[in-house]
Amino acid sequence: MATAAAASASEAEAEPKAEGEEAEAKEARTRRKVLSRAVAAATYKTVGPEWDQQEEGVSESDGDEEYAMASSAESSPGEYEWEYDEEEKNQLEIERLEEQLSINVYDYNCHVDLIRLLRLEGELTKVRMARQKMSEIFPLTEELWLEWLHDEISMALDGLDREHVYDLFEKAVKDYICPNIWLEYGQYSVGGIGQKGGLEKVRSVFERALSSVGLHMTKGLAIWEAYREFESAIVEAARLEKVHSLFRRQLAIPLYDMEATFAEYEEWSEDPIPESVIQNYNKALQQLEKYKPYEETLLQAEAPRLAEYQAYIDFEMKIGDPARIQLIFERALVENCLVPDLWIRYSQYLDRQLKVKDLVLSVHSRAVRNCPWTVALWSRYLLAMERHGVDHRVISVTFEKALSAGFIQATDYVEIWQAYLDYLRRRVDFKQDSSKELEELRSAFARALEYLKQEVEERFSESGDPSCLIMQNWARIEARLCNNMQKARELWDSIMTKGNAKYANMWLEYYNLERAHGDTQHCRKALHRAVQCTSDYPEHVCEVLLTMERTEGTLEDWDIAVQKTETRLARVNEQRIKAAEKEAALAQQEEEKVEQRKRARAEKKALKKKKKTRGSDKSRADEDDEKEWGDDAEEQPSKRRRVENSVPPAGEAELGPEADPGLSGSSAPAAAEPPSEQKEQRAATRRRDVPRVLHDSSKDGVTVFVSNLPYGLREPAATLRPLFEACGDVVEVRPIFSNRGDFRGYCYVEFKEEAVALRALELDRQTVEGRPMFVSPCVDKSKNPDFKVFRYSTALEKHKLFVSGLPFSCTKEELEEICKAHGTVKDIRLVTNRAGKPKGLAYVEYENESQASQAVLKMDGMTIKENVIKVAISNPPQRKAPEKPEARKAPGVAVVPRQIYGARGKGRTQLSLLPRALQRPSATAAQAENGPAPPPAATEVPKMSNADFAKLLLRK
């Protein structure tokens, strides 16, 4: 009925529109849509736990329900637009998914989403094609297979459709070990018992199911019971013996609820149970007690339970039962299908122990379908096919699939090429001068070099074979197996031109090849070139050359070798001496720079101390000369009034708040202080409120350093104490303030115990008033210069991803929702700046390397909120060491000390704000032009009173 309904729906779509009105067209599309959905819903609804007892096809009541749904939709025009909009959205999404799959066919999530939408739209033909394409690339999960099988079963109307369903079941049971699929397979085959060979088909399916999952301790019982029920229902004389046999076989296997099965056998059997059956039953019970701890551990743990399965596998390997070992591997792979190491261990066991061709090749094929990015699985697959005599064309096709699998490292492509070239080399009969296999091997070598140069180097910016291992292997084959030294020499010339001529081991490898398969002349020539080109171990190469000439060279050859080696070694020693001198000079310059900084700090402290002394002397002189200043002011009242209304000159400003008030008039109130004095008083007040406490380095073990705090934090201690008290007892929170009393954005938090301080480090990057708080150990870097606060690894981490291009609005929860579809996410870190603003970068840590690799394949190029993200394995670039100032200086340029620019260093604008009239030539500056400036001499500045300054101002 589903086929007829779909046909009628397509006819409704193809009806010509008589009047061409848009409303009628919309109504027709809506009617077709509702009808197709009703068909899909009704057919799927018929599939239930007891579908084998139902009649095939769709009943008339379902057809009435479809008609009623279509009629109800047709009678409610208000729902037309909603259905039409939903259909349009789904169609657009289907087109987008199909386009994305045309670009990247390995996008697993796109396949799943496309199947879901097509199934929702009732596109039965398209959803079947989409499922077939996905099953060709990926193994399907148990849920996807059951959904597909239920849909196909509901549409199976004749014998041909039943055969198609049988084929699907055969594919489904090959992907993973699924007891539920085997149970469905057996029950569905019962429905075809009336056909020719139906009984044999049912028994064959059940027997295969028992061999596959009959040993499953928790789920195997259902298969045994279904098989017994089927045999009990058959009316024939031999059925009793068949049921007896099933009971006896089941009771000899350790399964859950064995006691109930034994009681059922006693009740069913008319004769006493044989003693041998009871002995096997008791033995199985004893085995069950040994397996129970592992099964209970699996039941209590959460998926994927890899560690629990590994322990179970180790236990089974000690016992050594091949069937049970195979079963536990298959059970583990259902939940850990993306763990390459598990596939490698399983295939290795089959290769070395069972050696059954069909089983071994099937496991290898499933392994590369589940983890196509793992080159070790492909290499093992090629070896297994060669070991079991698979046709050469099949192996070549498999190798081509491996090249398109998308490995994550350039070296992976070198490894797969080497595996394939080794296989081709083993096919060649080198006793013949020329053969088809030899030509194929040579063309494969040439293709490998071209592939690494173009495809791999373009993608990874490296060929993956810096030592030219493939070319070396080719050269050995040509020299040793083909007696073609000319070709081998050409290959080695090419190897040396690729940056390998400076390595002694490369030259010695070439020399040994010439020594074994070439002649003395080419050996001597190779060593002479090695002496000139080697830079890592030239002494070794020179020694080899001299040894060869001592053994078989003439006097002339010996003299030439001695001359060349001595000249080369002398040049090498000279270069080494220069390098050592340069390194020593750099170290000495660094020491001088450190000493210079120490002297500069000492001079700066002395200058500050002298200024303080000079200020106190000036204050005393002002008090002594106050009367003299007043007399001078009375002599020239007009000029004094002009000074009162003008801005005080620079010389007067230096007097500070202790200057004589006569300049502003004797009647000026004392409270009228300049703004600078008010600031100083406020700062002094704040300094009095915040006592300065020196840091005690002996308490570094129980102290953490907190930085990147907001500068506007009003009460840092009160704000931070509750955060850190959650970790343990806090002794003190010491915020650091500037001389003006402003909070400097960092503090020290002291705890009672060291363990509490270690727990406090976990608060790192916690937000405080919109900024991430940095919490690090309290370490004196002067004593520990190599200590690094950065707590994250800067090396390659194959289980961690680096995501870039994220929208700034993307939250941690949103990113986790996307990433957890590809594996177990252990941690996500969004990278922010010091102000806590996102930078569009993130690090995602998965449980293992395989999950991270799968996530790279599926997430790279994904669009999130209109941003196309880039995803790669976390491998931060090496940080460059800071360039030394000496390296940046031009030779001969003297180091200019900072002191000649004043206490604050060089001005930002490089402008001089001193009037020309007051500028005086500086001896220090003149000397700085021709060499390093000496430290300023400690000259005595003559003391000047307020009267002296007044005379300077009024002298015009």
Side-chain angles (χ1 to χ4, degrees):
M1 179 177 176
T3 307
S8 62
S10 61
E11 291 174 2
E13 183 181 8
E15 286 180 359
K17 301 176 179 58
E19 300 179 2
E21 296 181 358
E22 184 178 355
E24 292 184 2
K26 186 185 298 184
E27 182 177 347
R29 283 194 295 267
T30 304
R31 235 185 347 260
R32 176 182 60 82
K33 174 63 183 164
V34 174
L35 183 58
S36 62
R37 286 190 180 180
V39 171
T43 53
Y44 188 74
K45 186 177 180 180
T46 60
V47 181
E50 301 177 354
W51 55 266
D52 57 303
Q53 300 177 3
Q54 299 175 357
E55 296 182 1
E56 300 177 17
V58 183
S59 62
E60 294 181 0
S61 61
D62 292 332
D64 296 337
E65 183 181 354
E66 296 167 16
Y67 180 77
M69 292 177 64
S71 301
S72 62
E74 192 173 355
S75 61
S76 54
E79 297 180 1
Y80 290 163
E81 295 184 2
W82 181 84
E83 289 285 348
Y84 178 72
D85 293 341
E86 285 295 316
E87 179 184 359
E88 290 296 320
K89 290 180 181 179
N90 290 342
Q91 288 296 333
L92 291 176
E93 182 66 13
I94 288 172
E95 293 176 1
R96 186 189 69 81
L97 292 173
E98 290 176 344
E99 182 179 359
Q100 190 166 346
L101 286 176
S102 65
I103 299 173
N104 181 17
V105 74
Y106 289 97
D107 194 330
Y108 184 89
N109 291 331
C110 275
H111 283 284
V112 175
D113 294 339
L114 179 61
I115 291 172
R116 178 182 56 82
L117 283 177
L118 290 174
R119 190 168 183 270
L120 183 65
E121 292 294 308
E123 301 286 351
L124 304 180
T125 304
K126 290 185 177 181
V127 74
R128 178 182 291 173
M129 294 176 59
R131 283 166 168 164
Q132 289 176 351
K133 289 181 180 179
M134 183 178 181
S135 65
E136 292 173 359
I137 301 172
F138 299 104
L140 304 186
T141 62
E142 181 179 355
E143 294 76 11
L144 291 175
W145 272 119
L146 288 176
E147 183 183 77
W148 187 1
L149 291 167
H150 289 164
D151 289 349
E152 294 293 343
I153 289 170
S154 65
M155 294 184 293
L157 301 177
D158 52 20
L160 293 177
D161 293 340
R162 177 170 287 274
E163 290 298 326
H164 173 66
V165 175
Y166 283 153
D167 293 339
L168 282 183
F169 270 114
E170 290 295 331
K171 292 180 180 179
V173 297
K174 290 179 181 178
D175 278 351
Y176 302 109
I177 178 173
C178 299
N180 293 333
I181 293 181
W182 276 112
L183 188 61
E184 295 282 344
Y185 192 7
Q187 291 178 344
Y188 182 72
S189 61
V190 171
I193 195 173
Q195 297 180 351
K196 183 179 180 180
L199 180 60
E200 290 75 10
K201 175 70 175 178
V202 176
R203 285 177 173 169
S204 173
V205 170
F206 273 116
E207 287 294 337
R208 290 170 56 202
L210 290 180
S211 63
S212 178
V213 296
L215 298 178
H216 200 299
M217 296 189 64
T218 57
K219 297 183 179 180
L221 181 62
I223 304 294
W224 287 100
E225 291 181 348
Y227 195 5
R228 287 205 317 270
E229 290 176 3
F230 165 72
E231 292 293 347
S232 300
I234 300 176
V235 182
E236 60 181 28
R239 69 178 181 86
L240 294 178
E241 185 59 32
K242 188 70 174 178
V243 176
H244 274 291
S245 175
L246 288 174
F247 266 119
R248 294 168 185 173
R249 289 166 58 189
Q250 181 180 352
L251 291 174
I253 298 173
L255 297 173
Y256 272 37
D257 296 333
M258 290 186 63
E259 297 83 355
T261 304
F262 185 78
E264 182 182 353
Y265 186 29
E266 286 182 325
E267 181 180 354
W268 181 84
S269 178
E270 298 176 356
D271 301 327
I273 299 178
E275 187 63 26
S276 60
V277 176
I278 297 177
Q279 291 179 358
N280 291 335
Y281 168 69
N282 292 328
K283 185 178 179 180
L285 281 177
Q286 294 176 0
Q287 293 178 348
L288 180 63
E289 294 301 321
K290 297 179 181 179
Y291 289 116
K292 268 188 177 180
Y294 296 96
E295 293 290 343
E296 291 174 356
T297 302
L298 289 175
L299 293 174
Q300 295 172 2
E302 296 182 357
R305 304 178 288 190
L306 179 60
E308 290 78 9
Y309 275 118
Q310 293 280 18
Y312 205 163
I313 291 171
D314 294 337
F315 173 73
E316 291 286 8
M317 295 284 277
K318 291 179 182 178
I319 296 177
D321 186 352
R324 298 198 65 87
I325 293 174
Q326 182 184 350
L327 175 66
I328 192 59
F329 268 117
E330 293 288 352
R331 289 177 61 184
L333 287 169
V334 171
E335 298 181 10
N336 300 276
C337 59
L338 300 180
V339 180
D341 293 339
L342 190 58
W343 284 106
I344 290 174
R345 187 179 181 186
Y346 186 23
S347 60
Q348 183 175 337
Y349 168 76
L350 296 178
D351 288 334
R352 297 178 180 178
Q353 301 296 328
L354 296 186
K355 301 180 181 180
V356 179
K357 177 179 178 180
D358 294 338
L359 177 60
V360 170
L361 295 181
S362 173
V363 170
H364 279 290
S365 175
R366 291 162 54 206
V368 296
R369 291 183 67 203
N370 281 273
C371 305
W373 62 88
T374 307
V375 67
L377 294 175
W378 288 101
S379 301
R380 290 173 176 273
Y381 192 14
L382 294 177
L383 288 172
M385 287 193 292
E386 181 185 3
R387 193 177 295 120
H388 291 282
V390 179
D391 186 69
H392 171 62
R393 289 174 294 182
V394 178
I395 297 179
S396 299
V397 170
T398 304
F399 169 70
E400 295 298 334
K401 290 181 179 178
L403 287 181
S404 61
F407 300 131
I408 59 177
Q409 293 180 351
T411 54
D412 293 344
Y413 288 94
V414 178
E415 183 176 346
I416 193 63
W417 269 110
Q418 284 183 322
Y420 184 59
L421 292 169
D422 292 344
Y423 157 71
L424 293 179
R425 195 265 308 165
R426 289 188 286 266
R427 295 181 68 243
V428 179
D429 183 9
F430 291 100
K431 295 180 181 179
Q432 301 179 7
D433 295 337
S434 179
S435 63
K436 179 181 178 182
E437 289 79 8
L438 179 59
E439 294 302 323
E440 184 179 3
L441 175 62
R442 285 172 172 165
S443 62
F445 269 114
R447 183 190 167 200
L449 298 178
E450 190 69 19
Y451 186 90
L452 294 177
K453 181 180 179 181
Q454 294 184 355
E455 301 291 337
V456 179
E457 194 166 349
E458 180 181 352
R459 178 180 173 188
F460 297 97
S461 300
E462 59 168 328
S463 65
D465 191 13
S467 300
C468 301
L469 297 177
I470 292 180
M471 294 182 71
Q472 290 188 44
N473 189 25
W474 190 3
R476 293 190 197 100
I477 292 174
E478 293 289 351
R480 296 175 183 176
L481 302 177
C482 300
N483 298 320
N484 188 355
M485 277 303 300
Q486 183 63 31
K487 180 64 176 178
R489 293 184 184 112
E490 293 176 2
L491 291 171
W492 269 105
D493 287 340
S494 179
I495 291 172
M496 293 305 180
T497 57
K498 294 183 180 297
N500 294 300
K502 59 184 178 181
Y503 300 116
N505 65 323
M506 301 296 288
W507 284 108
L508 295 179
E509 183 72 23
Y510 178 32
Y511 165 74
N512 291 330
L513 190 68
E514 284 284 1
R515 191 78 172 167
H517 306 284
D519 51 47
T520 305
Q521 180 181 358
H522 285 91
C523 288
R524 182 177 291 110
K525 182 178 178 182
L527 289 178
H528 282 192
R529 291 175 60 191
V531 168
Q532 298 298 326
C533 300
T534 302
S535 60
D536 53 352
Y537 299 105
E539 294 89 351
H540 188 35
V541 175
C542 293
E543 182 181 355
V544 173
L545 175 60
L546 293 176
T547 301
M548 188 192 76
E549 299 298 356
R550 180 179 287 112
T551 303
E552 53 190 275
T554 64
L555 177 61
E556 182 181 0
D557 295 333
W558 171 261
D559 291 338
I560 294 175
V562 170
Q563 181 181 359
K564 285 192 174 184
T565 54
E566 289 179 350
T567 304
R568 175 59 178 165
L569 292 178
R571 190 182 309 123
V572 169
N573 291 331
E574 182 181 353
Q575 292 174 353
R576 290 174 178 173
I577 292 173
K578 289 183 179 180
E581 291 177 352
K582 184 177 180 181
E583 185 176 354
L586 291 175
Q588 184 178 0
Q589 290 179 4
E590 188 65 26
E591 292 179 0
E592 292 176 355
K593 186 177 179 181
V594 172
E595 291 296 328
Q596 186 178 4
R597 285 199 296 265
K598 290 182 179 179
R599 289 197 301 268
R601 285 196 294 267
E603 292 169 0
K604 189 174 181 180
K605 290 181 180 179
L607 186 61
K608 286 184 178 180
K609 188 175 181 180
K610 180 183 290 187
K611 285 186 177 181
K612 290 181 180 179
T613 306
R614 188 191 313 165
S616 60
D617 293 342
K618 288 182 180 180
S619 300
R620 288 194 296 270
D622 292 344
E623 294 176 359
D624 295 338
D625 296 339
E626 181 178 354
K627 183 177 179 182
E628 180 183 354
W629 165 246
D631 295 340
D632 292 339
E634 289 178 359
E635 294 176 0
Q636 300 181 8
S638 60
K639 291 187 177 182
R640 188 185 70 179
R641 286 193 298 270
R642 184 178 64 181
V643 172
E644 288 174 357
N645 298 327
S646 61
V647 179
E652 185 178 350
E654 294 179 1
L655 296 176
E658 298 180 1
D660 192 284
L663 181 63
S664 302
S666 57
S667 60
E673 299 173 346
S676 60
E677 185 173 352
Q678 296 176 4
K679 292 181 180 179
E680 289 292 334
Q681 289 181 356
R682 287 197 298 269
T685 304
R686 282 182 288 191
R687 284 195 296 270
R688 285 195 298 270
D689 294 338
V690 184
R692 180 169 297 180
V693 180
L694 296 178
H695 176 66
D696 187 0
S697 59
S698 64
K699 298 181 179 179
D700 285 350
V702 294
T703 306
V704 296
F705 179 68
V706 185
S707 59
N708 201 45
L709 295 168
Y711 294 104
L713 204 60
R714 293 188 177 181
E715 297 293 339
T719 304
L720 298 177
R721 181 177 286 273
L723 294 177
F724 288 96
E725 282 182 344
C727 302
D729 295 335
V730 177
V731 176
E732 183 183 9
V733 178
R734 296 195 301 275
I736 306 302
F737 295 89
S738 65
N739 293 332
R740 297 186 303 171
D742 297 328
F743 180 49
R744 300 186 66 178
Y746 61 91
C747 67
Y748 296 90
V749 182
E750 181 182 339
F751 300 92
K752 284 187 177 181
E753 300 177 357
E754 185 174 353
V756 180
L758 294 176
R759 285 199 299 270
L761 296 177
E762 298 177 359
L763 298 178
D764 185 40
R765 298 302 196 278
Q766 183 166 334
T767 304
V768 176
E769 294 191 3
R771 287 176 68 93
M773 171 180 66
F774 298 164
V775 184
S776 58
C778 187
V779 177
D780 187 357
K781 290 190 177 180
S782 62
K783 299 179 182 178
N784 300 277
D786 297 332
F787 176 77
K788 296 182 179 179
V789 179
F790 192 71
R791 63 174 184 171
Y792 302 106
S793 174
T794 57
L796 173 65
E797 295 179 281
K798 295 185 178 181
H799 68 289
K800 186 180 290 185
L801 305 183
F802 174 67
V803 185
S804 60
L806 289 169
F808 293 153
S809 60
C810 182
T811 63
K812 182 178 179 180
E813 291 74 18
E814 293 174 345
L815 184 58
E816 182 178 7
E817 189 67 24
I818 296 172
C819 296
K820 72 180 183 181
H822 312 297
T824 303
V825 178
K826 295 181 64 177
D827 183 40
I828 291 181
R829 177 166 64 92
L830 293 178
V831 182
T832 61
N833 57 19
R834 297 182 68 89
K837 303 298 182 182
K839 300 174 68 175
L841 309 174
Y843 289 90
V844 182
E845 182 179 357
Y846 279 94
E847 192 172 47
N848 51 53
E849 171 189 346
S850 61
Q851 294 180 1
S853 303
Q854 186 71 4
V856 170
L857 296 175
K858 295 177 181 179
M859 292 176 57
D860 188 30
M862 180 185 292
T863 302
I864 299 179
K865 296 182 180 180
E866 300 182 357
N867 284 36
V868 179
I869 64 172
K870 295 182 179 180
V871 184
I873 298 295
S874 176
N875 188 15
Q878 296 293 331
R879 295 188 175 185
K880 296 182 179 179
E883 187 179 0
K884 295 184 178 180
E886 290 81 355
R888 293 194 299 265
K889 289 192 309 178
V893 178
V895 179
V896 181
R898 184 174 177 177
Q899 282 69 26
I900 67 171
Y901 299 121
R904 294 181 179 272
K906 204 170 187 179
R908 181 179 299 176
T909 61
Q910 307 297 311
L911 298 178
S912 176
L913 301 181
L914 186 66
R916 292 192 184 93
L918 298 180
Q919 287 182 353
R920 297 179 181 178
S922 174
T924 303
Q927 292 180 2
E929 295 178 359
N930 299 320
T939 57
E940 184 69 23
V941 180
K943 298 180 181 180
M944 298 181 67
S945 64
N946 289 344
D948 294 334
F949 279 107
K951 290 177 181 180
L952 287 175
L953 293 172
L954 302 177
R955 190 181 301 154
K956 285 188 178 179

